[in-house]
Amino acid sequence: MGLQEDLIAALDADRVVTGADELRRHGTDEGWHPPAAPDFVVYPRDTEEAARVVRVCKAHAAPIVPFGAGTSLEGHVAALRGGVCVDTGLMNQILRLSVPDMDVTVQAGVTRRQLDQRLRPEGVFFSVDPGADASLGGMVATGASGTTSVRYGTMRENVLSLTVVTADGEIVRTRSRARKSSAGYDLTRLLIGSEGTLALITEITLRVQPTPESMTAAACAFGTLDAAVDTVIEVLAHALPVARIELLDEVQIDAVNRHFDLQLHVAPTLLLEFHGTPAETEAQAKDVQAIAGGHGALGFDWAADEAERRRLWHARHGAYEAGRALRPGCEAFTTDACVPISNLAACIKETKADLDASGLIAPILGHVGDGNFHLTILVDPTDESELRRARALNDRLVRRAIAYDGTCTGEHGVGYGKIPFVELEHGPAALAMMRAVKAALDPAGLFNPGKVLGPLPD
Amino acid sequence: MGLQEDLIAALDADRVVTGADELRRHGTDEGWHPPAAPDFVVYPRDTEEAARVVRVCKAHAAPIVPFGAGTSLEGHVAALRGGVCVDTGLMNQILRLSVPDMDVTVQAGVTRRQLDQRLRPEGVFFSVDPGADASLGGMVATGASGTTSVRYGTMRENVLSLTVVTADGEIVRTRSRARKSSAGYDLTRLLIGSEGTLALITEITLRVQPTPESMTAAACAFGTLDAAVDTVIEVLAHALPVARIELLDEVQIDAVNRHFDLQLHVAPTLLLEFHGTPAETEAQAKDVQAIAGGHGALGFDWAADEAERRRLWHARHGAYEAGRALRPGCEAFTTDACVPISNLAACIKETKADLDASGLIAPILGHVGDGNFHLTILVDPTDESELRRARALNDRLVRRAIAYDGTCTGEHGVGYGKIPFVELEHGPAALAMMRAVKAALDPAGLFNPGKVLGPLPD
């Protein structure tokens, strides 16, 4: 039988889709890289069905490209060699939750907001917040992080165990639910950030956190970028457990002021969130205020009440939209450098000078506690020269970040957009190790071909 | 030339050792598994020299067994097929430290206490504390953790980057110093816990933490084990950031009372440490006291001053010795099960019943916030039947832990002592993935042969 017949036999006809619009949508993410449609989109309901799909694909030597919410940015879902897109949309069950153990097991297609709704009444929450309403499977695959990583860690610190389908179509659970283990190689962490190139992720056991009794926020503007970053370094050196500490540059502040009708001081600004008991969040805010004052902060707006906190963080979460609204009709080209924090101010300042020289517009925001910052370069999609300049700007930024002992991608992943930088960052011998691992676990090269390690499409 | 001549050419004659006592010592760890001496012990001084050694071993197809402080427990350093022991004792330089970035780079042979002495005057500390004065290289290789993991994490959360020598003798740095990265496969975490079987670790970049302004301790006895564990679950559910929360059973408390001339209540006891400002540690202690009171605690001895704190934790750190002193001349057979905390009380109680039925003596202590506990089974080394009963008790304990969705080893690693349990825990398909990774990165099988995945010695 042909591939299509076998896929239908493995699932059913309704869940093997070939409509052109559906194919196109599934090969497209939210980034600027050219999309590539798969030949089929399939919707397994559980691990066993996903394993059947992998076995069919193996028999037909068909590529397997996983698809969660389609919110990735580096072309992760582009089916560069066609094949079968595995949409996890029907794998949307929350399978178990243990509040005493502070862990939850979900199918790969469960989204962050769906999980949040299930957890909230139980007094716990899942901490990793990349902004988009991504699927948890996608967040594992890209090693996602976000605004709360400074306190609660990234996906790498918050995944206990995975269930995956191997290239042979076997089902593997990588780890028990024990909080720690030294029993053999860490397959869990090897698969986090592997972008669907080593195995197909179907279930995830995540750590959850107790919901803080009190959450408050603050905004704090500075005359210079250095002062803002030095404040962050001192906050971290005092072990103040800030839940979020985000940097917005003056262009980004201007954008959110316009978009959300705010009156924030147009200057480099830290946006903070504090979690704890009311006494703790108050003490944290005062400590941060004192440190910021020592670095010449222009003010410290403490949003102790919930409405005010939500207003501030709504603006932060809408920063990307607000940035795009600075130039209606533009496309956003997002960068993702991450450097040691002692190099952050220098790296951002050199990048801003480079940006000014390029004639492009790009608000900057950063998960500054992690040394990670994003430029949202606003590009006219009808102007080839702008896209070329944006690419060149990003290329120089990546080289600068690597020279500062940082990385080309703090949290968005490689997809096929950042492949040339992986070797630049790690060197040929490390690449050889990665290629050996890929060849060992996916000898036929069917899992998301052309991603992470290439080769690049022609 | 022969292997010995080539090793001398790679280093120098003084650093290629063949004395029988030295060979024997280097094939022996602190556990109860039969030792096995290497043919040579070599002492490289840096990564470049270590790479030369690996290239020589590759040319002669000689096994390469790394040796740090020799404090492992599962036969990790036994040279099961002879070959070359790489002692990292001369790789003892602290290469760089950045307080703003809160990270430090060390050679693999630096020990925990040596690092602590260097860090202390800088107002920072390295958090992972396995008890023994292990080498950092060994702690990476075994994925070590210990008493502070409940708050600060294990080695997996505290290693930023590694420099390693591959099976080809190439030098690879696995990662930049950026706090987070999504650039390619996570070689760093793949190598943590790989016990020298995939590459030779030569340098490590670690996260450090700000030294807390105040550290206080408390001891809290309970009428039942359930009450102690329920207290821990509630403490964690309240997000109280206890730095240490250790369980000692009544046998262990009796042992430390005798050994350290203490008068602790002989009952299941939690030993706690609090880190923070003086106000925070006081608030944490009061909150824990209230929770413990709700579970019928028999008392709550808060050691607010430093001398009292040190006395309590000195007793905890000496618990192993104190246990052994219960039966002079005995050997200690240490177990390492770890289960989800909701299963911990049941798992320990069944294990105690099994222990009582076996006629053996074993104090129990646990990193209870992680669900990890150790029996120190006191065995007369001249009595074969005791060792047999201890093995059988451990075997049943491992199966019980796995049945409770836990692991055969929370922190000691596999070595060759726990190989039979790795497949039991993970299943054959996961083992096949691990074996594929091993074959890909060490095709000649020279890195610490016979460890983690076997095969077992005849």
Side-chain angles (χ1 to χ4, degrees):
Chain A
M1 288 201 293
L3 173 57
Q4 184 164 11
E5 289 75 16
D6 282 350
L7 289 170
I8 290 171
L11 306 176
D12 56 55
D14 286 355
R15 294 188 285 130
V16 179
V17 172
T18 56
D21 285 355
E22 279 292 278
L23 297 181
R24 196 175 311 115
R25 178 172 78 80
H26 280 86
T28 307
D29 67 13
E30 295 186 0
W32 59 275
H33 303 288
D39 300 312
F40 301 94
V41 179
V42 300
Y43 292 86
R45 286 206 188 97
D46 56 28
T47 300
E48 191 43 65
E49 288 193 350
R52 271 189 247 155
V53 168
V54 170
R55 291 192 287 263
V56 167
C57 289
K58 184 188 175 194
H60 291 273
I64 300 153
V65 183
F67 185 98
T71 54
S72 52
L73 294 169
E74 295 290 349
H76 296 79
V77 302
L80 298 176
R81 298 188 205 154
V84 178
C85 168
V86 180
D87 187 317
T88 57
L90 298 184
M91 296 175 61
N92 59 1
Q93 303 300 306
I94 295 168
L95 300 172
R96 52 163 293 285
L97 166 67
S98 167
V99 174
D101 291 329
M102 291 280 158
D103 65 16
V104 64
T105 302
V106 301
Q107 287 188 307
V110 168
T111 68
R112 206 170 55 76
R113 280 191 203 131
Q114 181 193 348
L115 179 60
D116 186 54
Q117 278 166 15
R118 172 71 183 84
L119 297 182
R120 200 174 300 181
E122 308 286 345
V124 296
F125 76 107
F126 175 64
S127 62
V128 184
D129 173 9
D133 189 22
S135 71
L136 275 311
M139 289 171 67
V140 172
T142 56
S145 57
T147 53
T148 60
S149 299
V150 64
R151 171 149 174 183
Y152 299 104
T154 72
M155 290 303 280
R156 292 173 210 280
E157 289 80 36
N158 286 287
V159 173
L160 281 175
S161 179
L162 299 172
T163 300
V164 302
V165 180
T166 70
D168 279 337
E170 299 270 3
I171 296 167
V172 164
R173 187 177 177 227
T174 59
R175 208 177 160 288
S176 75
R177 284 202 299 118
R179 275 286 151 144
K180 60 186 198 186
S181 173
S182 294
Y185 302 152
D186 194 342
L187 297 178
T188 314
R189 261 89 164 212
L190 177 61
L191 294 170
I192 296 173
S194 68
E195 304 186 5
T197 64
L198 299 179
L200 181 65
I201 296 159
T202 60
E203 294 178 14
I204 307 148
T205 299
L206 297 161
R207 297 178 70 141
V208 299
Q209 310 282 342
T211 306
E213 194 184 333
S214 159
M215 291 194 273
T216 63
C220 182
F222 292 86
T224 66
L225 190 77
D226 284 295
V229 173
D230 287 344
T231 297
V232 176
I233 290 174
E234 200 174 328
V235 165
L236 298 178
H238 281 75
L240 289 170
V242 289
R244 293 179 156 115
I245 187 160
E246 298 278 298
L247 175 72
L248 292 77
D249 81 343
E250 62 281 6
V251 181
Q252 183 69 71
I253 290 289
D254 181 48
V256 300
N257 274 348
R258 288 165 194 252
H259 200 68
F260 295 105
D261 194 23
L262 294 170
Q263 283 81 39
L264 297 168
H265 193 108
V266 179
T269 297
L270 295 178
L271 220 59
L272 296 118
E273 191 167 272
F274 308 103
H275 291 178
T277 63
E280 284 165 356
T281 57
E282 189 176 337
Q284 288 172 35
K286 281 189 178 153
D287 288 343
V288 172
Q289 183 169 17
I291 291 169
H295 293 280
L298 305 176
F300 189 87
D301 296 321
W302 184 29
D305 75 277
E306 182 62 13
E308 188 62 14
R309 182 186 75 84
R310 280 186 188 276
R311 216 161 70 96
L312 269 183
W313 283 98
H314 181 64
R316 166 59 190 88
H317 277 122
Y320 177 75
E321 276 168 69
R324 290 184 66 154
L326 285 178
R327 198 175 175 198
C330 71
E331 295 268 347
F333 183 124
T334 309
T335 72
D336 186 30
C338 184
V339 297
I341 193 167
S342 66
N343 296 330
L344 182 64
C347 189
I348 294 179
K349 281 192 291 185
E350 290 169 31
T351 303
K352 278 178 87 80
D354 195 15
L355 171 65
D356 290 345
S358 77
L360 295 163
I361 301 171
I364 297 178
L365 57 82
H367 312 310
V368 69
D370 305 319
N372 186 203
F373 67 99
H374 306 297
L375 274 66
T376 309
I377 311 175
L378 305 174
V379 175
D380 175 351
T382 66
D383 185 339
E384 257 306 310
S385 114
E386 285 201 9
L387 189 58
R388 208 166 42 239
R389 278 182 287 149
R391 275 192 192 144
L393 183 71
N394 182 49
D395 187 88
R396 290 190 298 274
L397 169 54
V398 164
R399 288 167 199 277
R400 188 177 301 122
I402 292 171
Y404 275 126
D405 208 353
T407 176
C408 66
T409 174
E411 57 183 11
H412 294 164
V414 177
Y416 78 96
K418 287 235 164 76
I419 285 173
F421 303 127
V422 175
E423 180 159 356
L424 188 71
E425 180 171 330
H426 294 290
L431 258 281
M433 289 182 82
M434 292 185 197
R435 285 190 212 282
V437 169
K438 167 73 175 175
L441 297 185
D442 181 24
L446 299 180
F447 279 132
N448 211 357
K451 306 301 163 56
V452 183
L453 300 173
L456 281 170
D458 299 327
Chain B
M1 286 201 295
L3 173 56
Q4 184 164 12
E5 290 75 17
D6 281 351
L7 289 170
I8 290 171
L11 305 176
D12 55 53
D14 286 356
R15 293 188 287 129
V16 178
V17 172
T18 55
D21 284 356
E22 280 292 277
L23 297 181
R24 195 175 310 114
R25 178 172 78 80
H26 281 85
T28 307
D29 67 13
E30 296 186 359
W32 59 275
H33 302 289
D39 300 311
F40 301 95
V41 179
V42 301
Y43 290 87
R45 287 206 186 97
D46 57 28
T47 300
E48 191 43 64
E49 287 193 351
R52 270 190 248 155
V53 168
V54 169
R55 291 193 287 263
V56 166
C57 289
K58 185 188 173 194
H60 292 273
I64 300 154
V65 184
F67 184 97
T71 54
S72 53
L73 293 169
E74 294 291 349
H76 295 79
V77 302
L80 298 176
R81 295 186 209 156
V84 178
C85 168
V86 179
D87 187 316
T88 57
L90 299 183
M91 297 176 61
N92 59 0
Q93 304 299 306
I94 295 168
L95 300 172
R96 51 162 294 285
L97 166 67
S98 168
V99 173
D101 292 329
M102 292 279 157
D103 63 18
V104 64
T105 302
V106 301
Q107 287 188 307
V110 168
T111 68
R112 206 170 54 77
R113 279 188 203 132
Q114 181 193 349
L115 179 61
D116 185 54
Q117 278 168 14
R118 172 72 182 84
L119 297 181
R120 200 174 299 179
E122 309 286 344
V124 296
F125 76 107
F126 176 65
S127 62
V128 183
D129 174 9
D133 188 23
S135 70
L136 275 310
M139 288 171 66
V140 172
T142 56
S145 56
T147 53
T148 61
S149 298
V150 63
R151 171 150 174 183
Y152 298 104
T154 72
M155 290 303 280
R156 292 173 210 279
E157 289 80 35
N158 285 287
V159 173
L160 282 174
S161 179
L162 299 172
T163 300
V164 303
V165 180
T166 70
D168 279 336
E170 299 271 2
I171 296 168
V172 165
R173 188 175 175 229
T174 58
R175 208 178 161 287
S176 75
R177 285 202 298 119
R179 275 287 151 142
K180 60 186 199 184
S181 174
S182 294
Y185 302 151
D186 193 343
L187 297 178
T188 314
R189 259 90 163 212
L190 176 61
L191 293 170
I192 296 172
S194 68
E195 305 187 3
T197 64
L198 299 179
L200 181 65
I201 296 159
T202 60
E203 294 179 14
I204 307 147
T205 299
L206 296 162
R207 297 179 71 144
V208 298
Q209 310 284 342
T211 306
E213 192 185 332
S214 160
M215 292 194 272
T216 63
C220 182
F222 292 86
T224 66
L225 190 77
D226 284 295
V229 172
D230 286 345
T231 296
V232 176
I233 290 174
E234 200 173 330
V235 165
L236 298 177
H238 281 74
L240 290 171
V242 287
R244 292 179 155 115
I245 188 161
E246 298 277 298
L247 175 72
L248 292 78
D249 80 343
E250 64 280 7
V251 180
Q252 183 70 69
I253 290 289
D254 181 48
V256 299
N257 274 349
R258 288 164 194 252
H259 200 67
F260 295 104
D261 194 22
L262 294 171
Q263 283 81 40
L264 297 169
H265 194 110
V266 178
T269 298
L270 295 178
L271 220 57
L272 295 118
E273 191 168 271
F274 308 103
H275 291 178
T277 63
E280 284 165 357
T281 56
E282 189 176 337
Q284 287 172 36
K286 280 188 179 154
D287 288 345
V288 172
Q289 183 170 16
I291 291 169
H295 292 281
L298 305 177
F300 188 87
D301 295 321
W302 184 31
D305 75 277
E306 182 61 13
E308 188 61 16
R309 183 186 75 84
R310 280 184 190 276
R311 216 161 71 97
L312 269 181
W313 283 98
H314 180 65
R316 165 59 190 86
H317 277 122
Y320 177 75
E321 277 169 68
R324 289 183 68 154
L326 284 178
R327 197 176 175 196
C330 71
E331 294 268 346
F333 183 124
T334 309
T335 71
D336 186 29
C338 184
V339 298
I341 192 167
S342 66
N343 295 330
L344 182 64
C347 190
I348 294 180
K349 281 192 291 186
E350 289 169 32
T351 302
K352 278 177 87 80
D354 196 13
L355 172 65
D356 291 345
S358 76
L360 295 164
I361 301 171
I364 297 178
L365 57 83
H367 312 310
V368 68
D370 305 318
N372 186 201
F373 66 99
H374 306 296
L375 275 66
T376 308
I377 311 175
L378 305 174
V379 176
D380 174 351
T382 65
D383 185 340
E384 257 307 308
S385 116
E386 284 201 10
L387 189 59
R388 207 167 43 239
R389 277 182 286 149
R391 277 194 191 141
L393 182 70
N394 182 49
D395 188 88
R396 290 190 299 272
L397 169 54
V398 163
R399 287 167 198 277
R400 187 178 303 121
I402 293 171
Y404 275 125
D405 208 353
T407 175
C408 65
T409 174
E411 57 183 12
H412 295 165
V414 178
Y416 77 95
K418 286 235 164 79
I419 286 173
F421 303 127
V422 175
E423 180 159 354
L424 187 71
E425 180 170 330
H426 294 290
L431 257 280
M433 289 182 81
M434 293 186 196
R435 284 190 211 282
V437 169
K438 167 73 175 176
L441 297 184
D442 181 24
L446 299 181
F447 279 133
N448 211 358
K451 306 299 163 58
V452 183
L453 300 173
L456 281 170
D458 297 327

